[in-house]
Amino acid sequence: MKVTLSVIKADIGGFVGHSESHPDILARAAEHLAKAKKEGLFIDCRVAKCGDDLQLIMTHQRGEDDEKIHKFAWDVFVDCTELAKSLKLHGAGQDMLADAFSGNVRGMGPGVAEMEFEERGAETVIIFMADKTSAGAWNMPLYKMFADPFNTIGLVIAANMHSGFVFEVHDVKKSRKITFNAPEEIYDLLVFIGAPSRYMVKAVYHRITGEIAASSSTQKLSLIAGRYVGKDDPVCIVRSQGDFPAVGEVLEPFTLPILVEGWMRGSHHGPFMPVAVEDSTPTRFDGPPRVVALGFQLSAGKLVGPRDMFADKSFDPARQQANEVAEYMRRHGPFEPHRLPLEEMEYTTMPEVSKKLEGRFVDLE
Ligand code: F6R
Ligand code: MG
Ligand code: MG
């Protein structure tokens, strides 16, 4: 049976500041989902959160980019924004960049990761959700899962993965895409995805079967709005087991808290800390950036789960290391490379300060 898994998310207001989601908002979203499920819009659904981001997880048979599914998600965010306003939550409606829905939430503010596939005998999926970081944060983890034999031993010793995977990479500044075959094109691939603020892994496919293996949200809010409106706080769906990396191979990249863009005012590098859902409450310097992982088995489209995958004790050392890296990075204060380079900063006073001081610059001899 063909199933579509859609994860659509938005920051529609934070509690307190940008640190967490308010329980009333989650409850309101759950009511909408329950009603729509009863009316037959989808097979199954879950509400989740990562920090101040509201996540709608839905399974259905309507395919990707379905207008009804996207409109439903948009309407949930609109209604939850009203509730956020009545509670005077911080930044109520911050990701709702368009005035009205027009066919698809892509380009309107909310983030979307979707995939349609033939459900396998046992269909294991992991949904990653991040807060206080940007869409390129999945580049290194996806590379490690699907192209790095030091992470995924299955690439070496499992016959069904030995041929490798195809990476679809989006150039979000020029709005174009390209695909690379791993392993033979990994050096070319890395030239691009090593620059995650511009080139983002959108999807990964199995080389032999062509089956979709991973799909991420690549919406860059600042490019949509033309100004800073909050970080993208991206999501990513990964299929696991069988022809795909095992659960442990999918989670393994997050044992290293890599440096990602985001954190305070979306303008800093900080460690990507894997946490249980209840610990996705970024408070220190509005961070450090968080990632949560919800695991499901699908059964005829029904979501069996979630399991909170990073609640596992074996991620304690990664969290410890993330806190140490956070401390080290913080000591740089307003200096790079903690603060992002000028062209990547989401906030900057540079134009005003430069204008004010223009007359005081004198040419060097
Ligand atoms: C980062 C983030 C926060 C805010 C900061 C200022 O993604 O959301 O660090 O940028 O708290 O928020 P405002 O401008 O809403 O007062
Ligand atoms: Mg926010
Ligand atoms: Mg957020």
Side-chain angles (χ1 to χ4, degrees), residues 11 13-21 49-53 55 90 129-133 231 233 262-266 271-273 275-292 323 326:
D11 176 346
F15 165 66
V16 171
H18 293 274
S19 69
E20 168 66 304
S21 301
K49 68 106 192 173
C50 180
D52 61 3
D53 291 276
Q55 315 273 350
H90 187 68
M129 307 170 213
D131 192 29
K132 303 293 179 277
T133 190
K231 266 296 172 203
D233 301 339
W263 208 346
M264 175 58 78
R265 297 182 186 272
F272 205 22
M273 187 197 266
V275 291
V277 173
E278 66 168 332
D279 295 324
S280 65
T281 51
T283 46
R284 181 179 181 183
F285 200 55
D286 287 2
R290 307 292 155 115
V291 52
V292 303
N323 277 321

Side-chain angles (χ1 to χ4, degrees), residues 219-230:
Q219 288 79 6
K220 210 163 152 73
L221 280 176
S222 57
L223 291 181
I224 296 169
R227 63 189 157 84
Y228 182 63
V229 283

Side-chain angles (χ1 to χ4, degrees), residues 49-347:
K49 68 106 192 173
C50 180
D52 61 3
D53 291 276
L54 172 61
Q55 315 273 350
L56 309 179
I57 301 169
M58 296 163 281
T59 52
H60 53 93
Q61 293 195 288
R62 313 181 67 92
E64 293 172 30
D65 284 324
D66 179 73
E67 183 166 348
K68 277 200 170 154
I69 295 288
H70 281 231
K71 167 119 178 35
F72 166 76
W74 178 262
D75 290 344
V76 172
F77 296 143
V78 168
D79 185 52
C80 288
T81 295
E82 287 312 307
L83 179 59
K85 283 184 180 157
S86 74
L87 293 165
K88 292 189 78 173
L89 297 185
H90 187 68
Q94 78 165 39
D95 287 357
M96 306 298 281
L97 301 180
D99 297 328
F101 181 78
S102 62
N104 189 304
V105 294
R106 285 181 209 277
M108 297 175 71
V112 192
E114 290 183 298
M115 54 163 74
E116 187 184 33
F117 49 81
E118 190 67 40
E119 190 181 285
R120 294 170 292 167
E123 185 64 59
T124 306
V125 293
I126 298 184
I127 300 172
F128 293 99
M129 307 170 213
D131 192 29
K132 303 293 179 277
T133 190
S134 51
W138 309 123
N139 282 12
M140 204 203 291
L142 288 171
Y143 175 79
K144 285 187 170 176
M145 284 173 218
F146 292 101
D148 179 4
F150 279 73
N151 180 91
T152 300
I153 185 60
L155 295 167
V156 181
I157 63 170
N160 53 6
M161 277 203 280
H162 199 71
S163 314
F165 290 88
V166 180
F167 285 72
E168 178 183 323
V169 175
H170 287 197
D171 171 354
V172 295
K173 290 212 169 126
K174 286 211 166 155
S175 223
R176 52 187 192 160
K177 65 180 177 182
I178 179 170
T179 56
F180 295 94
N181 288 332
E184 58 271 39
E185 294 184 308
I186 56 171
Y187 296 164
D188 292 343
L189 169 68
L190 287 167
V191 170
F192 293 96
I193 66 169
S197 55
R198 172 160 177 184
Y199 298 96
M200 297 167 193
V201 179
K202 174 68 191 170
V204 180
Y205 300 89
H206 194 278
R207 272 296 275 289
I208 304 297
T209 64
E211 280 282 305
I212 180 96
S215 172
S216 75
S217 63
T218 49
Q219 288 79 6
K220 210 163 152 73
L221 280 176
S222 57
L223 291 181
I224 296 169
R227 63 189 157 84
Y228 182 63
V229 283
K231 266 296 172 203
D232 317 319
D233 301 339
V235 289
C236 182
I237 306 170
V238 179
R239 294 171 80 193
S240 174
Q241 305 293 152
D243 285 354
F244 305 117
V247 165
E249 292 167 332
V250 171
L251 301 179
E252 183 68 8
F254 299 93
T255 55
L256 176 73
I258 59 168
L259 289 175
V260 293
E261 288 182 2
W263 208 346
M264 175 58 78
R265 297 182 186 272
S267 302
H268 293 79
H269 283 121
F272 205 22
M273 187 197 266
V275 291
V277 173
E278 66 168 332
D279 295 324
S280 65
T281 51
T283 46
R284 181 179 181 183
F285 200 55
D286 287 2
R290 307 292 155 115
V291 52
V292 303
L294 294 184
F296 295 92
Q297 294 294 141
L298 294 191
S299 173
K302 281 198 106 28
L303 289 157
V304 180
R307 279 213 60 235
D308 190 344
M309 307 308 283
F310 289 143
D312 188 79
K313 292 254 175 298
S314 59
F315 287 90
D316 286 350
R319 294 188 263 273
Q320 173 68 25
Q321 190 181 15
N323 277 321
E324 282 158 15
V325 171
E327 179 61 20
Y328 172 79
M329 295 301 283
R330 280 302 301 127
R331 297 281 75 82
H332 292 73
F335 284 80
E336 297 177 14
H338 180 28
R339 203 207 66 192
L340 297 185
L342 285 176
E343 59 282 6
E344 294 300 335
M345 273 207 299
E346 301 283 11
Y347 276 71

